[in-house]
Amino acid sequence: MGNISSCCENCFQGRRSQSYEPLLLENEREAVADLLQYLENRTTTNFFTGSPLSALTTLSFSDNVDLQRSAALAFAEITEKEVRPVGRDTLDPILFLLSSHDTEVQRAASAALGNLAVNTLRLSVNLADNKLLIVKLGGLEPLIRQMLSPNVEVQCNAVGCVTNLATHDDNKTKIAKSGALVPLTRLARSKDMRVQRNATGALLNMTHSDENRQQLVNAGAIPVLVSLLNSPDTDVQYYCTTALSNIAVDGANRKKLAQSEPKLVTSLVMLMDSSSLKVQCQAALALRNLASDEKYQLEIVKADGLQSLLRLLQSTYLPLILSSAACVRNVSIHPLNESPIIESGFLQPLINLLSFKDNEEVQCHAISTLRNLAASSEKNKTAIVKAGAVQSIKELVLEVPINVQSEMTACVAVLALSDDLKGQLLEMGICEVLIPLTNSPSSEVQGNSAAALGNLSSKDDYSAFNDVWDKPDGGMHRYLYRFLTSPDATFQHIAVWTIVQLLESGDPQLISNIRSSNLLVPNIRTLAVSRTSSRSSSAGTPHSHGSRHSYSETETGEGQGEIQLLSRRILEFVDGDVEGLISSSVTGSHMQPGSSIGSSNRDHEELRRSVREAFAPGSHR
């Protein structure tokens, strides 16, 4: 920031040879002499206190422009070599010089101020107080005036200083309200690349809060930032891409971008092939934020963004993997994008990322994308299972973090909706890992695992459930008992529905296991007569979108009635003519109506349909 190469000794020596000393005040002559001596011993001199600072202050407040220039140059050179936290006694003379009408004084003073406000990440000392104090003492007003200067050097240093000041959160709002955003936006179009870099860097620093982003948009920054995505300078590309990514966090801003910037997605897709890794990363993140909206989800695919995202997804650089995985997850939310993503070759790379233990977020994005891809198409579900996703889930799910477990079990629950795949999933032994997870400390993992087991139970061959009736971890038996006795009506609902499915299977062993259970039957009897207001919560359970119900939606007062009806249906099997009841029911995943106490066939069909829908975790998210 602000490289000032002028040698202060030469400045003073030159002025001495011009024989202007008689025009100087006595204290000014003494200050010149003292400062020359200090500069000769600069490596051991602290210019931010005592006599050295006093000499610089005297020259700064002089009416002699030559002395002001010398002081400003000295401050600039000193702060270039050494930066430390300073007080008002150091900043006051620099701020006075900043208001000078002399271009050279302005240039050097803004360089010195910018050095004192340098980004703290570059130094081992904390300069936050410097940034705050500069603004508190009124530094913004003269800096804004200098941004409007016709001199490029002055512009560059002033904008660079504002960029550094804007790295402190407490300064951002003050800068936004100071009137600085309009000149910053104008200077972002400067023909001088240094000014352009500093201005776009300052605009980026202003995008980290909702209020400041809105003021930036109002200042006309969006079209400037979008146009500069095509800059030949990678720093400018990076600043603009990151700023736009932050701006796109807000839904209202995405709407404005959609209305006014038709080439935005194309430009960002091109930047994913930049020679700069940081630009590639930010381009993918910007697209990820844009893809929060349906329009952009489709537009990214239309702009051939999938191939670039696939390349980044297979990178060895974590930020690229993370940004592209997050973007693909959002793009996959739109049902029309499911097949294009699969056809572009994403399945195997996504499955490979399930075991990416270095980053939990990458795993979550990968499995969530797979679930989204499976949501609307039997063909896609089959392709995902065939590619090995379920086998990977089975191998990993008991060891991964809880957030990943939640996503994995939700994915299995969606895949288990396919009648054609239920047998394959059971043969893979997926129940062996789902059952232990029904006792997870996470209610979301519990709910998703139970949903998957419930969806798998609605099939013709139930022998796999006999194999896991008592194991592992107490098997289906203990899992159903825990859910029946849960204070959460959602879990009660899942349990009684699953038991109905198992009884209607017609499997003699399953029916015998349930009828003879001292854990299940007494609790079912309680639920059959109880209309107490059990706690119902959707926390941690899969939610559906669109036309599907969430668990929480089924567990209102009407949901309690469904639990009671299903419990009575179970007791018909436990206490009644089992063979007759089975012959009057149609088993399988389609859940056709059977007889039910207190309800017509049509009512029972609607009841069971609502329960079935409750087992379908959110289609896309």
Side-chain angles (χ1 to χ4, degrees):
M1 170 68 202
N3 288 317
I4 304 298
S5 58
S6 304
C7 177
C8 298
E9 292 98 326
N10 290 340
C11 293
F12 289 123
Q13 295 287 358
R15 284 159 177 69
R16 180 179 293 177
S17 66
Q18 295 169 13
S19 301
Y20 62 79
E21 281 130 323
L23 300 177
L24 301 182
L25 299 175
E26 180 64 27
N27 65 326
E28 292 173 343
R29 284 198 299 270
E30 291 176 357
V32 169
D34 289 345
L35 195 55
L36 284 171
Q37 181 180 352
Y38 294 134
L39 288 170
E40 289 176 359
N41 301 287
R42 69 180 65 192
T43 57
T44 59
T45 300
N46 180 359
F47 288 92
F48 300 101
T49 187
S51 297
L53 179 59
S54 178
L56 282 169
T57 301
T58 298
L59 301 183
S60 298
F61 286 103
S62 171
D63 292 332
N64 188 309
V65 173
D66 286 332
L67 294 184
Q68 288 184 351
R69 288 177 183 169
S70 298
L73 287 167
F75 271 123
E77 183 172 314
I78 291 164
T79 56
E80 181 71 23
K81 300 288 174 58
E82 180 183 8
V83 181
R84 63 175 66 188
V86 298
R88 181 168 190 160
D89 52 351
T90 298
L91 292 176
D92 274 344
I94 299 176
L95 291 173
F96 181 81
L97 294 170
L98 197 65
S99 299
S100 171
H101 296 292
D102 182 79
T103 299
E104 186 67 18
V105 175
Q106 292 175 4
R107 182 176 72 90
S110 58
L113 204 63
N115 290 338
L116 291 172
V118 73
N119 193 333
T120 56
L121 294 178
R122 291 171 46 194
L123 300 168
S124 59
V125 295
N126 185 357
L127 301 180
D129 289 344
N130 285 2
K131 301 172 196 282
L132 292 173
L133 190 55
I134 289 169
V135 173
K136 182 179 179 180
L137 295 178
L140 289 178
E141 185 178 346
L143 286 170
I144 292 172
R145 285 199 302 269
Q146 289 192 18
M147 285 195 288
L148 301 174
S149 169
N151 185 281
V152 172
E153 296 294 330
V154 173
Q155 291 176 1
C156 185
N157 288 350
V159 177
C161 185
V162 172
T163 301
N164 288 343
L165 294 174
T167 60
H168 197 295
D169 289 341
D170 291 348
N171 283 342
K172 296 180 193 296
T173 300
K174 294 177 181 178
I175 292 172
K177 294 179 178 180
S178 70
L181 297 184
V182 172
L184 281 173
T185 301
R186 192 195 72 178
L187 290 175
R189 294 185 184 273
S190 172
K191 294 180 180 179
D192 186 278
M193 192 55 67
R194 298 169 304 162
V195 175
Q196 200 176 99
R197 286 192 198 109
N198 284 345
T200 51
L203 294 177
L204 166 58
N205 287 341
M206 297 302 298
T207 61
H208 295 106
S209 75
D210 294 342
E211 181 182 1
N212 294 338
R213 282 195 292 269
Q214 191 54 53
Q215 290 178 314
L216 202 60
V217 170
N218 295 340
I222 282 180
V224 175
L225 292 169
V226 173
S227 68
L228 290 174
L229 291 176
N230 298 319
S231 169
D233 185 79
T234 55
D235 284 336
V236 172
Q237 289 176 351
Y238 173 75
Y239 296 147
C240 293
T241 305
T242 310
L244 287 166
S245 179
N246 293 341
I247 289 171
V249 168
D250 305 316
N253 290 339
R254 291 196 297 273
K255 186 175 180 180
K256 290 181 181 179
L257 287 165
Q259 293 171 344
S260 63
E261 303 299 334
K263 297 181 179 179
L264 175 57
V265 169
T266 301
S267 295
L268 290 171
V269 168
M270 291 177 62
L271 287 177
M272 285 197 292
D273 293 322
S274 166
S275 60
S276 167
L277 292 177
K278 66 179 183 180
V279 172
Q280 293 179 41
C281 183
Q282 288 302 322
L285 287 174
L287 289 169
R288 185 274 305 268
N289 289 341
L290 291 173
S292 298
D293 290 351
E294 182 179 279
K295 173 187 182 297
Y296 283 115
Q297 291 161 9
L298 292 170
E299 192 172 337
I300 290 168
V301 174
K302 185 178 178 181
D304 295 325
L306 290 181
Q307 287 306 313
S308 296
L309 287 169
L310 180 59
R311 180 180 57 80
L312 300 188
L313 197 70
Q314 299 175 91
S315 166
T316 56
Y317 182 49
L318 175 57
L320 286 182
I321 299 170
L322 184 57
S323 61
S324 56
C327 185
V328 173
R329 176 179 182 170
N330 280 4
V331 172
S332 71
I333 290 173
H334 201 292
L336 293 180
N337 288 339
E338 292 174 18
S339 294
I341 291 172
I342 290 176
E343 291 164 4
S344 295
F346 276 84
L347 284 187
Q348 199 57 58
L350 287 169
I351 292 171
N352 292 341
L353 290 179
L354 298 184
S355 57
F356 194 85
K357 297 181 180 179
D358 292 340
N359 189 280
E360 175 182 337
E361 197 173 350
V362 168
Q363 292 175 297
C364 282
H365 289 320
I367 187 60
S368 181
T369 302
L370 289 170
R371 186 199 57 203
N372 287 344
L373 297 177
S376 302
S377 164
E378 290 295 306
K379 178 182 176 183
N380 292 346
K381 288 182 175 69
T382 300
I384 289 168
V385 173
K386 185 177 180 180
V390 175
Q391 189 60 41
S392 292
I393 290 171
K394 182 188 174 187
E395 294 170 359
L396 296 166
V397 70
L398 295 179
E399 304 298 330
V400 295
I402 284 179
N403 287 338
V404 185
Q405 286 181 340
S406 175
E407 297 287 349
M408 285 184 170
T409 49
C411 182
V412 174
V414 171
L415 293 170
L417 290 170
S418 170
D419 290 340
D420 294 337
L421 294 175
K422 295 178 193 291
Q424 292 184 48
L425 298 181
L426 289 171
E427 288 174 7
M428 291 179 187
I430 194 67
C431 292
E432 296 171 6
V433 294
L434 290 174
I435 288 171
L437 291 173
T438 62
N439 199 26
S440 166
S442 163
S443 60
E444 185 170 352
V445 174
Q446 292 179 48
N448 290 347
S449 302
L453 289 166
N455 289 339
L456 289 168
S457 70
S458 52
K459 66 177 293 296
D460 295 330
D461 183 3
Y462 281 72
S463 58
F465 292 97
N466 288 317
D467 295 338
V468 293
W469 181 251
D470 290 314
K471 60 181 182 181
D473 291 2
M476 290 285 292
H477 192 192
R478 280 282 174 181
Y479 139 57
L480 292 169
Y481 168 71
R482 285 195 304 271
F483 273 48
L484 285 174
T485 56
S486 169
D488 192 327
T490 298
F491 286 2
Q492 295 172 10
H493 198 172
I494 293 172
V496 292
W497 183 87
T498 302
I499 293 170
V500 168
Q501 288 297 116
L502 297 177
L503 287 171
E504 290 188 351
S505 70
D507 185 281
Q509 184 63 52
L510 276 176
I511 293 172
S512 174
N513 287 338
I514 294 170
R515 294 184 74 177
S516 62
S517 172
N518 293 325
L519 294 178
L520 302 184
V521 175
N523 287 291
I524 292 167
R525 293 190 189 281
T526 300
L527 292 176
V529 297
S530 173
R531 290 299 299 269
T532 58
S533 179
S534 298
R535 177 176 60 87
S536 174
S537 171
S538 63
T541 58
H543 286 229
S544 58
H545 295 260
S547 63
R548 292 174 177 168
H549 304 296
S550 69
Y551 290 164
S552 60
E553 288 169 337
T554 65
E555 297 310 331
T556 57
E558 181 182 350
Q560 283 292 334
E562 293 176 0
I563 293 172
Q564 186 181 55
L565 289 173
L566 288 168
S567 298
R568 291 178 178 180
R569 177 65 176 159
I570 294 169
L571 293 180
E572 290 177 351
F573 279 89
V574 171
D575 299 333
D577 177 6
V578 175
E579 291 185 2
L581 287 168
I582 293 172
S583 64
S584 70
S585 303
V586 180
T587 62
S589 60
H590 299 293
M591 296 185 298
Q592 297 299 319
S595 59
S596 177
I597 295 175
S599 65
S600 67
N601 282 352
R602 181 177 178 181
D603 291 337
H604 192 53
E605 181 179 7
E606 291 299 319
L607 162 63
R608 299 184 67 181
R609 182 180 294 114
S610 75
V611 178
R612 169 60 181 266
E613 289 170 343
F615 272 95
S619 302
H620 298 82
R621 63 180 179 182

